Amino acid sequence: MKSKLLLTSLLCFHAFGLLAQVQKAPNRAEGDGPHKRLIIRGVTIINSTGSPPIGPMDILVENNRIAQIRQAGYPGMPAQDGIKATSTDKELNCRGMYLMPGFVDMHGHIGGVQQGANAEYVFKLWMAHGVTTVRDPSCGNGLDWVLDQKEKSNKNLITAPRIKAYTVFGQGAKDFITTPEQAREWVRQNAQKGADGIKFFGAEPDVFKAALEENKKLGLGSACHHAQTEVARMNVLATAKAGLTSMEHWYGLPEALFDDKTVQNYPSDYNYNNEQNRFEEAGKLWKQAAKPGSERWNYVMEELLKLDFTLDPTFNIYEANRELMLARRAEWHDEYTLPSLWRFYGPSRISHGSYWHNWGTEQEVAWKENYRLWMAFINEYKNRGGRVTTGSDSGFIYQLYGFAYIRELELLREAGFHPMEVVRAATIKGAEALGMAKEIGSVEIGKLADFVITEENPLANLKVLYGTGAIRLNDKNEVVRAGGVKYTVKDGIVYDAKKLLADVRKIVADAKKEENFEITQPGIPQKAGKVSGSNK
């Protein structure tokens, strides 16, 4: 969502290095391990290979890699040890629990100064929800900052997911990039600095093509939010053919599907810098595209499939557009959303993603139809063999780190994905897109020990993955909360997910106490003596 800053401001900040940075993560004080040998006992494995769930199984981790996976008895029978332990082994009793590969968030901004969200806050929310790898699209804190946190995460010096750094195109350049030669040189310098890829918003076509070609030659990844200021010149079909490897959100896709126009049907009083205009009209865009099953629909899909192109839809980040109250009143805001972040979310003509100037029924109805068509394309693309990944883009539009990632899983389910296909999108498909499929993304011998372990079956109800759990009524007619991730394992280090959530609750509670703050809803007067939590 950082691409939705005013385009001129974005280019100035990223091109000339005027980047504000959030506080880095502190030294790691959490997690049990790494261990020379860790045995995880009795889990049912929900893998990303297409295999049905299987258990009970024991998993042996040696240092940070999976060394053995063995059957440990039979369902409903007394527990058995599939792997014999030595006196020095660490054993984790997970009998009756479920284990998945660690989740990959393909669109994870590491906080933001405007949001007041520092690295510790963001990392712990991600890890508490099973996210063990993130792609930072834009490196909004600066490439050097991100690479520092990446290295420390790789060494497990901080509590954080693995990080892939995709620098925004032009970041750190001394001058604006206006020629293909300048584009190629910047791409080479970006690779030399250690970036894993580039995040584009669009550019003059010759410049864009040169950058993509050079980036592909160097073997780096690429992503693009096809900004509306440039999409008429290069939509997703054009950029994919030029070498782009993945697209973010949905911008550029309906434009590629136009069969009776070349430009979105903008009203005469439209102003791109007015975000109410931008997002209201965006909600009408899929209706302007070719219909499902049409010749143009099939042509675009077939071309993208031939290119092995990745779609990273980030459904969750726009969900407030179709149901504002649903996103705004999500229960996790009470204990997990910082005061500064809550203020950032509120209606504003200045803060990005806070375009609730006059958002009502008509806008929401249009966006519901937008989602129906968008989801139809994504689901069909998956069914025809295309790669669809899971990204959250949290920190904007009432979407909170970690929690929003789980919401993305639910929205993939709504789009038509089987729960096991949802797990695949959250794990192996992200690993493939990042070029990491030999290291992460599935539970297989030789791969890195990144796992999500739950007490409840997520295939039966994805809501059990939320940090707040799922609501249930027990046999005594008592309301209880079930679920939440039990353990997140990264590099063989076992993190207590609920302890990570407790740390975040304390961070938020301390911030509220310092400000005498309480969350209030937009336009509702604050209580006497309290600092208001909504913009005015």
Side-chain angles (χ1 to χ4, degrees):
M1 299 301 294
K2 286 194 181 294
S3 58
K4 298 186 185 77
L5 294 166
L6 297 180
L7 190 60
T8 301
S9 297
L10 183 146
L11 289 173
C12 288
F13 271 83
H14 285 300
F16 302 117
L18 305 176
L19 289 169
Q21 299 171 337
V22 302
Q23 184 179 358
K24 293 179 179 179
N27 292 336
R28 179 169 70 91
E30 302 80 20
D32 181 6
H35 300 277
K36 187 174 181 180
R37 281 170 52 101
L38 166 68
I39 301 174
I40 300 174
R41 296 285 189 199
V43 293
T44 295
I45 298 175
I46 301 173
N47 217 337
S48 61
T49 60
S51 166
I54 184 168
M57 308 294 287
D58 284 357
I59 298 174
L60 172 64
V61 175
E62 292 184 345
N63 297 315
N64 67 338
R65 291 193 181 268
I66 303 169
Q68 294 183 38
I69 304 171
R70 294 188 181 276
Q71 186 170 334
Y74 297 89
M77 298 297 290
Q80 298 178 19
D81 288 348
I83 297 172
K84 186 175 181 180
T86 68
S87 60
T88 58
D89 289 350
K90 168 70 177 182
E91 295 183 73
L92 189 66
N93 183 2
C94 295
R95 292 185 173 95
M97 299 186 194
Y98 299 84
L99 181 145
M100 296 170 284
F103 295 149
V104 179
D105 191 335
M106 287 285 286
H107 201 116
H109 297 291
I110 305 174
V113 173
Q114 285 185 293
Q115 294 95 323
N118 65 28
E120 180 185 12
Y121 173 78
V122 174
F123 289 156
K124 286 185 174 180
L125 280 171
W126 275 331
M127 292 280 285
H129 288 89
V131 175
T132 55
T133 300
V134 297
R135 179 179 66 172
D136 182 347
S138 298
C139 295
N141 292 295
L143 179 59
D144 290 343
W145 187 100
V146 176
L147 291 178
D148 172 79
Q149 297 291 273
K150 174 184 175 178
E151 181 181 8
K152 289 176 179 175
S153 175
N154 286 343
K155 294 179 179 179
N156 294 306
L157 299 176
I158 58 176
T159 299
R162 304 178 193 281
I163 300 169
K164 285 290 187 178
Y166 275 46
T167 324
V168 65
F169 181 57
Q171 186 181 98
K174 295 180 180 179
D175 300 298
F176 286 106
I177 298 172
T178 58
T179 68
E181 293 73 22
Q182 288 176 315
R184 292 180 187 277
E185 178 59 26
W186 182 88
V187 170
R188 288 191 290 267
Q189 291 177 3
N190 186 56
Q192 290 168 3
K193 291 175 181 177
D196 298 298
I198 304 173
K199 166 74 175 297
F200 294 91
F201 304 115
E204 190 278 325
D206 287 342
V207 170
F208 202 168
K209 290 175 183 177
L212 286 170
E213 183 179 296
E214 193 69 24
N215 194 62
K216 185 176 182 179
K217 186 189 302 181
L218 295 171
L220 272 64
S222 54
C224 186
H225 170 136
H226 293 77
Q228 289 159 302
T229 51
E230 293 290 345
V231 71
R233 297 203 284 184
M234 288 191 77
N235 60 42
V236 68
L237 197 54
T239 55
K241 288 180 177 180
L244 185 72
T245 58
S246 68
M247 66 165 284
E248 306 304 293
H249 317 308
W250 50 270
Y251 304 96
L253 187 49
E255 289 88 347
L257 290 165
F258 286 163
D259 58 4
D260 62 352
K261 62 177 68 65
T262 60
V263 177
Q264 180 180 342
N265 185 20
Y266 296 112
S268 60
D269 60 351
Y270 180 99
N271 186 332
Y272 181 76
N273 284 346
N274 181 328
E275 289 204 338
Q276 168 94 24
N277 281 173
R278 286 178 56 190
F279 287 94
E280 181 172 354
E281 293 305 316
K284 305 170 185 176
L285 189 50
W286 276 93
K287 287 277 284 186
Q288 298 173 37
K291 294 181 179 180
S294 65
E295 183 178 353
R296 182 67 185 177
W297 175 280
N298 286 321
Y299 170 74
V300 170
M301 188 170 296
E302 287 164 4
E303 290 299 302
L304 294 177
L305 289 168
K306 289 176 187 176
L307 294 165
D308 192 29
F309 193 70
T310 298
L311 304 183
D312 186 41
T314 69
F315 287 129
N316 77 96
I317 197 59
Y318 304 101
E319 188 170 28
N321 295 347
R322 70 175 190 172
E323 194 68 66
L324 177 56
M325 188 178 293
L326 175 73
R328 182 166 50 82
R329 300 289 286 189
E331 64 179 356
W332 40 82
H333 290 311
D334 293 339
E335 290 191 293
Y336 295 101
T337 297
L338 287 164
S340 54
L341 185 53
W342 185 257
R343 285 191 290 269
F344 179 79
Y345 287 151
S348 171
R349 297 184 185 276
I350 299 170
S351 297
H352 163 57
S354 303
Y355 43 85
W356 321 111
H357 308 175
N358 186 20
W359 200 267
T361 304
E362 295 305 307
Q363 290 78 12
E364 291 185 356
V365 168
W367 266 95
K368 285 181 172 69
E369 178 66 6
N370 219 35
Y371 265 83
R372 185 184 70 81
L373 296 167
W374 179 18
M375 285 179 163
F377 191 97
I378 297 298
N379 191 49
E380 185 176 337
Y381 192 74
K382 174 264 298 176
N383 288 343
R384 292 170 65 171
R387 184 182 303 105
V388 176
T389 57
T390 306
S392 65
D393 197 10
S394 303
F396 303 88
I397 317 181
Y398 292 108
Q399 295 298 336
L400 186 60
Y401 312 94
F403 290 94
Y405 186 86
I406 305 308
R407 184 57 187 155
E408 184 70 10
L409 302 183
E410 289 195 286
L411 291 168
L412 288 168
R413 180 74 182 97
E414 180 185 329
F417 286 48
H418 184 279
M420 289 183 63
E421 292 177 325
V422 172
V423 172
R424 299 188 83 191
T427 56
I428 193 63
K429 295 304 177 181
E432 290 172 359
L434 294 175
M436 299 180 71
K438 292 183 178 180
E439 295 287 299
I440 64 170
S442 60
V443 182
E444 296 182 84
I445 292 173
K447 288 196 173 184
L448 293 169
D450 289 4
F451 309 127
V452 187
I453 302 174
T454 63
E455 295 175 301
E456 302 287 331
N457 184 356
L459 300 180
N461 183 6
L462 291 166
K463 292 185 189 301
V464 301
L465 295 171
Y466 285 118
T468 47
I471 297 171
R472 286 192 185 159
L473 194 66
N474 67 18
D475 293 340
K476 298 178 181 179
N477 201 37
E478 299 167 334
V479 179
V480 297
R481 289 294 176 125
V485 173
K486 177 73 171 177
Y487 301 115
T488 297
V489 181
K490 180 219 166 191
D491 253 345
I493 299 172
V494 181
Y495 293 88
D496 182 335
K498 291 180 171 58
K499 173 64 169 61
L500 296 178
L501 287 172
D503 291 349
V504 174
R505 288 198 300 272
K506 185 176 187 306
I507 290 171
V508 173
D510 288 348
K512 287 181 175 179
K513 183 177 180 181
E514 183 177 348
E515 295 188 26
N516 194 26
F517 174 95
E518 70 173 12
I519 286 179
T520 57
Q521 298 303 319
I524 303 298
Q526 67 191 75
K527 294 180 180 178
K530 291 287 185 180
V531 174
S532 175
S534 60
N535 291 339
K536 292 184 176 181

